């Protein structure tokens, strides 16, 4: 469900810069920030880098960009 909200001009200007650098639309950039913010609030002990890496890993899985791990040889 899409909902219209009012955002400050400063936030929109920042979102435009980051969106351009990340090849996202402005709304998608704001959604990205909101998603990261939500995860960070729910997991305050995790670093930003870890959260970012997890989000990238999830996107790779959804895109089918992962291979099954095959162990080269058994360790005894």
């Amino acid at each position: 469900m899409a909902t219209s909200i009012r955002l400050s001009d400063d936030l929109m200007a920042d979102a435009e810069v980051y969106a351009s650098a990340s090849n996202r639309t402005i709304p998608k950039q704001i959604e990205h920030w909101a998603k990261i913010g939500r995860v960070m609030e729910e997991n305050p002990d995790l670093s930003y880098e870890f959260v970012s890496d997890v989000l990238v890993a999830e996107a790779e899985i959804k895109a089918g960009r992962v291979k099954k791990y095959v162990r080269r040889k058994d360790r005894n």
Side-chain angles (χ1 to χ4, degrees), residues 49-68:
E49 290 79 17
F50 182 83
V51 171
S52 180
D53 288 347
V54 167
L55 294 175
V56 168
E58 285 181 339
E60 288 175 335
I61 290 168
K62 286 180 184 176
R65 302 283 313 255
V66 294
K67 297 178 188 172
K68 183 177 178 181

Side-chain angles (χ1 to χ4, degrees), residues 13-26:
D14 287 346
E16 184 176 12
V17 171
Y18 280 82
S20 177
S22 301
N23 293 317
R24 294 184 181 107
T25 64
I26 294 170

Side-chain angles (χ1 to χ4, degrees), residues 2 5-6 14-15 19 24 32 37-38 42 47 50 52-53 64 70-71 75:
I5 59 172
R6 290 181 181 260
D14 287 346
R24 294 184 181 107
H32 174 72
R38 183 180 64 226
E42 292 172 351
S47 69
F50 182 83
S52 180
D53 288 347
V70 178
R71 193 172 191 173
R75 296 179 189 176

